[in-house]
């Protein structure tokens, strides 16, 4: 199972970007999905999460500007980022709790994408 993130880049303050993260492999089901970010010299932090039922939660710093969504049929999670600020500059990582059936018994594992860099210039 792999998570492949895409959509990062360089944008001016006030601009928008949309991140995507697709899961592939022998997937039985996907529970929670989320986006984290890590800025230089800082710890990784949760940006937004979405449950399999569509409930969402956001870090206070991005509420009202970022929107997380998912397409269960495509095993993909998205992060729409609007009104970007220089302090949003970071490497963004997708995260998912994925259930697999290696021997017929379901096991849930945490998977991480490779990270995509978002740079917001002032």
């Amino acid at each position: 199972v792999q998570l492949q993130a895409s959509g990062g880049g360089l944008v001016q303050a006030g601009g928008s970007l949309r991140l995507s993260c697709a899961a592939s492999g022998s997937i039985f089901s996907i529970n929670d999905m989320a986006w984290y970010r890590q800025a230089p010299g800082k710890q990784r932090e949760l940006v937004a999460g979405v449950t399999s039922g569509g409930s969402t939660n956001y870090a206070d710093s991005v509420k009202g500007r970022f929107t997380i969504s998912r397409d269960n049929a495509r095993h993909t999670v998205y992060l729409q980022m609007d009104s970007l600020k220089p302090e949003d500059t970071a490497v963004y990582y997708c995260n998912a709790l994925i259930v697999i059936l290696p021997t017929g018994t379901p096991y849930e594992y945490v998977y991480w994408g490779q990270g995509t860099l978002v740079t917001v210039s002032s």
Side-chain angles (χ1 to χ4, degrees), residues 36-99:
Y36 287 74
R37 67 186 180 187
Q38 188 167 18
K42 295 188 177 181
Q43 290 187 335
R44 190 173 297 189
E45 63 175 356
L46 175 67
V47 176
V50 58
T51 67
S52 57
S55 297
T56 59
N57 63 284
Y58 297 92
D60 288 343
S61 59
V62 306
K63 282 182 181 176
R65 300 188 298 121
F66 290 10
T67 303
I68 190 170
S69 61
R70 62 190 286 172
D71 183 332
N72 291 327
R74 297 177 183 269
H75 292 164
T76 300
V77 62
Y78 305 97
L79 187 67
Q80 177 66 41
M81 305 185 293
D82 299 318
S83 302
L84 282 161
K85 303 176 181 180
E87 51 263 44
D88 293 319
T89 295
V91 177
Y92 284 71
Y93 297 90
C94 56
N95 166 285
L97 300 178
I98 298 177
V99 179

Side-chain angles (χ1 to χ4, degrees), residues 2-65:
Q2 290 186 332
L3 292 180
Q4 182 68 42
S6 61
L10 174 63
V11 64
Q12 288 188 332
S16 297
L17 281 175
R18 188 190 194 212
L19 305 183
S20 299
C21 177
S24 61
S26 299
I27 297 169
F28 177 71
S29 64
I30 302 179
N31 293 327
D32 296 352
M33 304 184 84
W35 288 95
Y36 287 74
R37 67 186 180 187
Q38 188 167 18
K42 295 188 177 181
Q43 290 187 335
R44 190 173 297 189
E45 63 175 356
L46 175 67
V47 176
V50 58
T51 67
S52 57
S55 297
T56 59
N57 63 284
Y58 297 92
D60 288 343
S61 59
V62 306
K63 282 182 181 176
R65 300 188 298 121

